Amino acid sequence: MTTTLEVLFAPAEFTLLSQRDLRQTVCVVFDVLRATSTMVTALGNGATAIAPAAEIAEALAIRQRQPEILLAGERDGIRIEGRLTGGLGFDLGNSPREFTAAKVGGKTVAMTTTNGTRALRACAPAAAVLLGSFLNLRATAEFIERQHPPHLLMVCSGTLDQAAYEDVLGAGALCDMVWPQYAAGTVADSAHMARRLFRIEQDDLLGAVAQSRNGRRLMANPDLRDDVAFCVQRDLVGFAAEMGKDGLVRLRALEAEPQKKTRT
């Protein structure tokens, strides 16, 4: 089977995924600033699972069914407050630095963000849905290399209805790492573009991301500016993160490579 590698840049593209047959496709969703970076951080700090919710009402419904679940998320980059929920402020926002082991260890978190959780939900029919971030980039690439899916689709969550520079850089970085597996197949121009952009910017990712629309917004907020540097750290954790068919995101530890038998 011919392999394919493609990148979707903007929300208008992932909203059309329901019209595509994704049964043999692995999707990797990037929301570098900040949803996928935050979810990966939460799992790394001991969260049991993340339940991505497309809307605030859905997250509240999850909490009503399971009162022990933490609520997390943002609208316009700010933690969801009671005025948006009818009175209940969320426990956490969307800053990865909030998701410490003390707060999320052993907990399930219902999370809703402006774009990232919607992108994850749009990919649900795929054979597998992985979370992409710089924080677990190497582990995600190794997971893909071991699974070797015939069709690999990078999905950039974007900002509101537009493409997000940092997501394209993340997708381009992953394209660069898995290129040897897919270059001989059908590679979309979008994958070439993302990879080329990453290669141009790779020596100063922080500077590049800080100049993005989301980066500038976060840098202007004294409480959130440190999120930008946090989210461009490479390979802070050594696991992949996958959204299962039950809709929950969990840590996927890499299996050890089978040892070769030594001839005697």
Side-chain angles (χ1 to χ4, degrees):
M1 179 182 293
T2 301
T3 60
T4 65
L5 178 63
E6 183 183 0
V7 176
L8 302 185
F9 290 137
E13 295 179 279
F14 72 66
T15 57
L16 296 176
L17 285 177
S18 60
Q19 301 174 21
R20 295 175 59 163
D21 183 356
L22 299 176
R23 288 175 294 178
Q24 296 187 57
T25 299
V26 167
C27 292
V28 185
V29 175
F30 284 87
D31 191 343
V32 171
L33 295 179
R34 295 165 289 169
T36 55
S37 300
T38 296
M39 292 181 191
V40 166
T41 300
L43 294 173
N45 283 331
T48 304
I50 312 292
E55 303 296 340
I56 292 173
E58 183 183 351
L60 292 172
I62 295 172
R63 173 68 165 265
Q64 189 170 24
R65 295 193 300 270
Q66 298 173 268
E68 73 279 7
I69 279 181
L70 295 175
L71 290 176
E74 56 76 27
R75 288 298 182 269
D76 298 322
I78 305 300
R79 181 190 300 191
I80 294 168
E81 300 173 345
R83 62 184 177 80
L84 297 177
T85 67
L88 180 63
F90 277 30
D91 303 296
L92 298 158
N94 188 31
S95 169
R97 295 175 297 115
E98 289 183 84
F99 289 67
T100 62
K103 291 181 180 178
V104 304
K107 300 291 185 69
T108 295
V109 182
M111 186 170 182
T112 179
T113 67
T114 308
N115 281 42
T117 53
R118 291 195 301 115
L120 284 166
R121 295 289 293 276
C123 295
V129 182
L130 303 177
L131 276 65
S133 75
F134 287 109
L135 305 179
N136 69 334
L137 199 66
R138 170 59 62 185
T140 303
E142 290 180 3
F143 184 89
I144 292 166
E145 287 165 2
R146 295 180 188 188
Q147 299 293 323
H148 200 181
H151 307 300
L152 184 59
L153 181 62
M154 316 278 186
V155 178
C156 299
S157 298
T159 301
L160 299 176
D161 60 348
Q162 298 178 6
Y165 198 59
E166 66 277 4
D167 293 344
V168 179
L169 288 172
L174 187 56
C175 283
D176 196 49
M177 297 180 81
V178 302
W179 203 256
Q181 282 187 276
Y182 291 91
T186 300
V187 178
D189 282 355
S190 58
H192 280 287
M193 293 160 64
R195 181 180 183 234
R196 179 67 62 87
L197 187 64
F198 166 72
R199 288 193 153 202
I200 291 170
E201 299 281 27
Q202 63 181 326
D203 291 335
D204 185 15
L205 279 176
L206 177 56
V209 172
Q211 290 302 311
S212 69
R213 176 178 175 176
N214 274 330
R216 294 194 307 272
R217 175 176 55 81
L218 292 170
M219 294 294 285
N221 185 325
D223 294 329
L224 301 177
R225 61 180 295 118
D226 289 342
D227 285 353
V228 179
F230 186 98
C231 291
V232 298
Q233 295 176 96
R234 289 290 296 266
D235 304 318
L236 196 62
V237 299
F239 58 81
E242 181 177 8
M243 186 176 75
K245 293 304 179 183
D246 60 359
L248 293 177
V249 175
R250 296 184 177 90
L251 181 154
R252 285 292 301 270
L254 296 177
E255 297 177 2
E257 293 281 8
Q259 292 183 348
K260 294 181 180 179
K261 292 183 178 179
T262 303
R263 291 184 179 180
T264 58

